[in-house]
Short mmCIF file of all heavy atoms in Angstrom, two decimals:
data_model
loop_
_atom_site.label_atom_id
_atom_site.label_comp_id
_atom_site.label_asym_id
_atom_site.label_seq_id
_atom_site.Cartn_x
_atom_site.Cartn_y
_atom_site.Cartn_z
N ASP W 1434 -71.73 -5.14 -21.65
CA ASP W 1434 -71.95 -4.01 -22.56
C ASP W 1434 -73.37 -3.56 -22.52
O ASP W 1434 -74.32 -4.32 -22.17
CB ASP W 1434 -71.54 -4.35 -23.95
CG ASP W 1434 -71.17 -3.13 -24.82
OD1 ASP W 1434 -71.23 -2.02 -24.22
OD2 ASP W 1434 -70.81 -3.32 -25.95
N ALA W 1435 -73.53 -2.31 -22.84
CA ALA W 1435 -74.86 -1.72 -23.10
C ALA W 1435 -74.62 -0.53 -24.00
O ALA W 1435 -73.82 0.34 -23.69
CB ALA W 1435 -75.50 -1.26 -21.77
N ALA W 1436 -75.29 -0.56 -25.15
CA ALA W 1436 -74.99 0.44 -26.19
C ALA W 1436 -75.24 1.86 -25.73
O ALA W 1436 -74.40 2.75 -25.87
CB ALA W 1436 -75.79 0.12 -27.44
N ASN W 1437 -76.38 2.11 -25.12
CA ASN W 1437 -76.69 3.43 -24.58
C ASN W 1437 -77.05 3.29 -23.11
O ASN W 1437 -78.19 3.30 -22.75
CB ASN W 1437 -77.84 4.00 -25.38
CG ASN W 1437 -77.53 4.25 -26.80
OD1 ASN W 1437 -76.67 5.03 -27.14
ND2 ASN W 1437 -78.22 3.53 -27.73
N PRO W 1438 -76.02 3.12 -22.29
CA PRO W 1438 -76.29 2.80 -20.88
C PRO W 1438 -76.96 3.92 -20.10
O PRO W 1438 -76.65 5.06 -20.28
CB PRO W 1438 -74.89 2.48 -20.34
CG PRO W 1438 -73.95 3.27 -21.21
CD PRO W 1438 -74.56 3.23 -22.57
N ASP W 1439 -77.90 3.47 -19.28
CA ASP W 1439 -78.43 4.41 -18.31
C ASP W 1439 -77.41 4.68 -17.23
O ASP W 1439 -77.21 5.79 -16.75
CB ASP W 1439 -79.69 3.88 -17.66
CG ASP W 1439 -80.82 3.68 -18.62
OD1 ASP W 1439 -81.09 4.65 -19.36
OD2 ASP W 1439 -81.44 2.61 -18.67
N ILE W 1440 -76.71 3.58 -16.89
CA ILE W 1440 -75.66 3.65 -15.80
C ILE W 1440 -74.48 2.85 -16.25
O ILE W 1440 -74.61 1.77 -16.85
CB ILE W 1440 -76.21 3.05 -14.50
CG1 ILE W 1440 -77.43 3.87 -14.00
CG2 ILE W 1440 -75.12 3.04 -13.40
CD1 ILE W 1440 -78.10 3.20 -12.80
N THR W 1441 -73.29 3.33 -15.99
CA THR W 1441 -72.07 2.57 -16.11
C THR W 1441 -71.49 2.42 -14.69
O THR W 1441 -71.30 3.38 -13.98
CB THR W 1441 -71.06 3.24 -16.99
OG1 THR W 1441 -71.51 3.26 -18.37
CG2 THR W 1441 -69.72 2.51 -16.96
N LYS W 1462 -83.13 -1.17 -16.06
CA LYS W 1462 -82.16 -0.16 -16.47
C LYS W 1462 -81.04 -0.83 -17.37
O LYS W 1462 -80.74 -1.99 -17.18
CB LYS W 1462 -81.50 0.52 -15.32
CG LYS W 1462 -82.42 1.38 -14.45
CD LYS W 1462 -81.65 2.05 -13.29
CE LYS W 1462 -82.65 2.80 -12.43
NZ LYS W 1462 -83.23 3.96 -13.12
N SER W 1463 -80.57 -0.03 -18.32
CA SER W 1463 -79.52 -0.50 -19.22
C SER W 1463 -78.20 -0.18 -18.52
O SER W 1463 -77.88 1.01 -18.28
CB SER W 1463 -79.57 0.21 -20.58
OG SER W 1463 -78.48 -0.14 -21.36
N ILE W 1464 -77.46 -1.19 -18.20
CA ILE W 1464 -76.26 -1.03 -17.37
C ILE W 1464 -75.03 -1.62 -18.02
O ILE W 1464 -75.02 -2.79 -18.43
CB ILE W 1464 -76.45 -1.61 -15.97
CG1 ILE W 1464 -77.59 -0.93 -15.27
CG2 ILE W 1464 -75.16 -1.54 -15.12
CD1 ILE W 1464 -77.90 -1.47 -13.91
N ARG W 1465 -73.97 -0.82 -18.10
CA ARG W 1465 -72.68 -1.27 -18.57
C ARG W 1465 -71.80 -1.49 -17.32
O ARG W 1465 -71.80 -0.64 -16.45
CB ARG W 1465 -72.02 -0.22 -19.48
CG ARG W 1465 -70.61 -0.58 -19.92
CD ARG W 1465 -70.03 0.44 -20.85
NE ARG W 1465 -70.62 0.34 -22.22
CZ ARG W 1465 -70.11 0.91 -23.30
NH1 ARG W 1465 -69.02 1.63 -23.23
NH2 ARG W 1465 -70.71 0.76 -24.48
N VAL W 1466 -71.04 -2.57 -17.31
CA VAL W 1466 -70.18 -2.86 -16.21
C VAL W 1466 -68.75 -2.83 -16.72
O VAL W 1466 -68.42 -3.52 -17.71
CB VAL W 1466 -70.45 -4.20 -15.54
CG1 VAL W 1466 -69.42 -4.51 -14.43
CG2 VAL W 1466 -71.83 -4.22 -14.94
N ILE W 1486 -64.80 3.83 -23.08
CA ILE W 1486 -64.97 2.74 -22.13
C ILE W 1486 -66.20 2.92 -21.28
O ILE W 1486 -67.01 1.99 -21.08
CB ILE W 1486 -63.72 2.53 -21.32
CG1 ILE W 1486 -62.54 2.13 -22.17
CG2 ILE W 1486 -63.97 1.46 -20.21
CD1 ILE W 1486 -61.20 2.08 -21.48
N ILE W 1487 -66.41 4.13 -20.77
CA ILE W 1487 -67.54 4.40 -19.89
C ILE W 1487 -68.82 4.44 -20.69
O ILE W 1487 -69.88 3.99 -20.25
CB ILE W 1487 -67.34 5.77 -19.16
CG1 ILE W 1487 -66.14 5.62 -18.21
CG2 ILE W 1487 -68.59 6.18 -18.39
CD1 ILE W 1487 -65.71 6.88 -17.51
N GLY W 1488 -68.85 5.03 -21.90
CA GLY W 1488 -70.02 4.91 -22.82
C GLY W 1488 -71.02 6.04 -22.71
O GLY W 1488 -72.16 5.86 -23.08
N ASN W 1489 -70.64 7.19 -22.14
CA ASN W 1489 -71.56 8.35 -22.08
C ASN W 1489 -72.91 8.00 -21.46
O ASN W 1489 -73.96 8.23 -22.02
CB ASN W 1489 -71.77 8.93 -23.49
CG ASN W 1489 -72.36 10.27 -23.41
OD1 ASN W 1489 -72.16 11.04 -22.49
ND2 ASN W 1489 -73.16 10.65 -24.45
N PRO W 1490 -72.91 7.44 -20.23
CA PRO W 1490 -74.18 7.09 -19.58
C PRO W 1490 -74.81 8.32 -18.92
O PRO W 1490 -74.20 9.38 -18.79
CB PRO W 1490 -73.73 6.08 -18.54
CG PRO W 1490 -72.36 6.59 -18.13
CD PRO W 1490 -71.74 7.16 -19.42
N LYS W 1491 -76.03 8.12 -18.45
CA LYS W 1491 -76.68 9.16 -17.65
C LYS W 1491 -76.01 9.32 -16.27
O LYS W 1491 -76.00 10.40 -15.71
CB LYS W 1491 -78.16 8.86 -17.51
CG LYS W 1491 -78.89 8.81 -18.85
CD LYS W 1491 -80.34 8.33 -18.66
CE LYS W 1491 -81.05 8.18 -20.01
NZ LYS W 1491 -82.42 7.60 -19.89
N ARG W 1492 -75.57 8.19 -15.72
CA ARG W 1492 -74.93 8.20 -14.42
C ARG W 1492 -73.72 7.27 -14.43
O ARG W 1492 -73.74 6.26 -15.18
CB ARG W 1492 -75.88 7.69 -13.31
CG ARG W 1492 -76.96 8.69 -12.91
CD ARG W 1492 -77.93 7.93 -11.98
NE ARG W 1492 -77.33 7.51 -10.75
CZ ARG W 1492 -77.83 6.48 -10.01
NH1 ARG W 1492 -78.86 5.80 -10.37
NH2 ARG W 1492 -77.23 6.21 -8.85
#
Side-chain angles (χ1 to χ4, degrees):
D1434 204 0
N1437 297 296
D1439 296 311
I1440 300 172
T1441 292
K1462 294 183 184 292
S1463 174
I1464 297 178
R1465 175 178 287 194
V1466 176
I1486 296 172
I1487 294 173
N1489 196 28
K1491 297 173 184 175
R1492 287 170 64 202

